[in-house]
Amino acid sequence: MSALSILSSGMLSAVGLSAPASCAAIRCALDNFQETRFIDGGGEWQVAASVPLEEPWRGRAKLMKMAARAIAESLAAVPGIDCAATPLLLGVAELERPGRCDGLDNSLLRDIERELGVRFHDASTLIPRGRVSAGVALLNARRLIHEGGHRHVLIAGVDSFLNAATLSAFEQRQRLLTSRHSNGFIPGEGAAAVVVGAPVRQDAEQLICFGLGFGVEKATVEADDMPLRADGLVQATQEALKDGNCRMEQMDYRLTDNSGEQYYFKEAALALSRTLRVVKEEFDIWHPADCIGECGAAIGPAMLAVALAASRKGYSLGPNIVYKLGNDAGERAVALLRYQRVGAA
């Protein structure tokens, strides 16, 4: 059995400084998009989704503060967890991201530990894969728990697009939503974390990750010379369905990291047409970035927090969820989630 159970969550976003607050706002389709002090190419203030902390931290210091708080929230909900025996898998921005903060790879993990006053297991590591980081972390957590003997693994992500170099680069690539460009994303920032473990007894309520798949898309969002067929997402979806011994029509809804660009919605539609072989009257797609903006590596754990809250509070569209991640380099990850209710087999 290689399934994982998502035990708890923590989250800081533009719409809430905790997982319950953020998930409630996302459920109500609230956002906190505001004008920033950055000016776009049309001379207008750039709209973004920033996390309102009590002090004006910026850059790497703010990433550390946000990550530490999300991690602390998720840890507090798991009584008796031993941090020294728990690896931390922390997703951050891709190495090639314009405007990426210096020092992330060398000391961010240690600084988070100092902020929290704890030391995590030596298997802790950074995963610099942007939005796909959480998918890679789920795969690594599966190995650490089922092969390495760890009781718990902490999956977290922290990221921010709110710096001048990043905004300028993405605007030049016509990726940002600005006063002069409508097909783009609203930049954001945030942090989220979940604690995962092996599934507990079958009669316990729990959100289980029971399938994982990965793929690579050659026709990336900036590859204008190739037709998009969604091959990478199809491959990842098919692998996840095979891994979970499941069919697409058995799933109830989709949870995705799409943040506003037409490319990713087209990709999702193409992939669905190639993997769903039975007509479904409804197969809704949730994209929390509509409320919290494009927050890079933070979106994966944030989506797990949304899935956990929706399942526990009963407003999920069903127990079976297709969870999709993809970064600009073409890496794709798909996980299958199932909420097991009391008494369910």
Side-chain angles (χ1 to χ4, degrees), residues 216-223 226-230 263 267 330 332:
V216 176
E217 178 57 59
K218 295 181 179 179
T220 61
V221 64
E222 296 184 22
M226 297 184 66
L228 176 62
R229 299 181 64 250
Y263 168 91
E267 179 190 43
R332 302 292 183 261

Side-chain angles (χ1 to χ4, degrees), residues 95-106:
L95 296 174
E96 63 275 13
R97 168 89 64 77
R100 188 179 192 263
C101 288
D102 295 331
L104 292 184
D105 309 284
N106 298 328

Side-chain angles (χ1 to χ4, degrees), residues 326-345:
N327 63 19
D328 292 346
E331 296 175 319
R332 302 292 183 261
V334 172
L336 305 182
L337 309 175
R338 174 178 297 133
Y339 189 63
Q340 179 177 284
R341 301 188 183 280
V342 172

Side-chain angles (χ1 to χ4, degrees), residues 13-260:
S13 72
V15 294
L17 299 183
S18 67
S22 294
C23 292
I26 292 169
R27 180 185 182 185
C28 296
L30 301 177
D31 65 62
N32 192 24
F33 300 151
Q34 297 182 1
E35 292 180 346
T36 66
R37 297 299 90 186
F38 298 104
I39 298 177
D40 67 22
E44 302 292 335
W45 296 116
Q46 174 68 54
V47 173
S50 62
V51 175
L53 298 182
E54 67 276 10
E55 293 189 32
W57 289 295
R58 293 289 182 268
R60 187 175 170 282
K62 189 170 187 179
L63 293 180
M64 184 270 290
K65 292 288 184 179
M66 292 192 298
R69 293 189 187 189
I71 289 168
E73 183 185 0
S74 65
L75 291 173
V78 183
I81 187 170
D82 181 3
C83 291
T86 301
L88 167 59
L89 308 180
L90 180 63
V92 294
E94 304 92 331
L95 296 174
E96 63 275 13
R97 168 89 64 77
R100 188 179 192 263
C101 288
D102 295 331
L104 292 184
D105 309 284
N106 298 328
S107 59
L108 183 59
L109 279 174
R110 299 287 84 85
D111 289 346
I112 291 172
E113 288 179 329
R114 280 194 291 270
E115 179 74 9
L116 294 171
V118 302
R119 188 67 184 263
F120 293 107
H121 191 272
D122 289 342
S124 300
T125 186
L126 247 64
I127 305 176
R129 309 284 278 273
R131 293 190 300 272
V132 171
S133 298
V136 177
L138 285 169
L139 179 63
N140 292 346
R142 174 191 282 187
R143 293 169 178 164
L144 286 166
I145 289 171
H146 293 288
E147 298 175 19
H150 290 275
R151 184 180 180 188
H152 299 112
V153 172
L154 184 57
I155 295 174
V158 63
D159 210 340
S160 177
F161 281 74
L162 303 186
N163 69 74
T166 301
L167 294 174
S168 176
F170 279 95
E171 183 176 12
Q172 290 175 11
R173 298 176 184 178
Q174 296 189 327
R175 301 283 306 282
L176 282 186
L177 181 65
T178 67
S179 61
R180 302 197 305 178
H181 186 65
S182 60
N183 178 21
F185 61 79
I186 292 178
E189 62 185 0
V194 294
V195 175
V196 302
V200 294
R201 63 186 189 280
Q202 288 190 339
D203 62 345
E205 287 200 9
Q206 56 187 322
L207 180 63
I208 294 174
C209 172
F210 67 97
L212 279 172
F214 298 87
V216 176
E217 178 57 59
K218 295 181 179 179
T220 61
V221 64
E222 296 184 22
D224 297 330
D225 58 339
M226 297 184 66
L228 176 62
R229 299 181 64 250
D231 290 335
L233 187 53
V234 168
Q235 178 185 352
T237 303
Q238 290 174 339
E239 283 190 7
L241 292 170
K242 182 178 180 181
D243 185 48
N245 190 26
C246 185
R247 299 186 306 277
M248 196 64 162
E249 62 267 21
Q250 294 175 292
M251 308 307 291
D252 295 304
Y253 68 102
R254 296 167 287 163
L255 186 57
T256 177
D257 60 353
N258 293 6
S259 58

Side-chain angles (χ1 to χ4, degrees), residues 295-339:
C295 53
I299 192 64
M303 288 161 54
L304 291 174
V306 167
L308 186 62
S311 298
R312 285 179 172 175
K313 291 184 176 295
Y315 62 89
S316 175
L317 300 179
N320 301 307
I321 310 165
V322 181
Y323 168 94
K324 171 262 174 187
L325 300 166
N327 63 19
D328 292 346
E331 296 175 319
R332 302 292 183 261
V334 172
L336 305 182
L337 309 175
R338 174 178 297 133
Y339 189 63

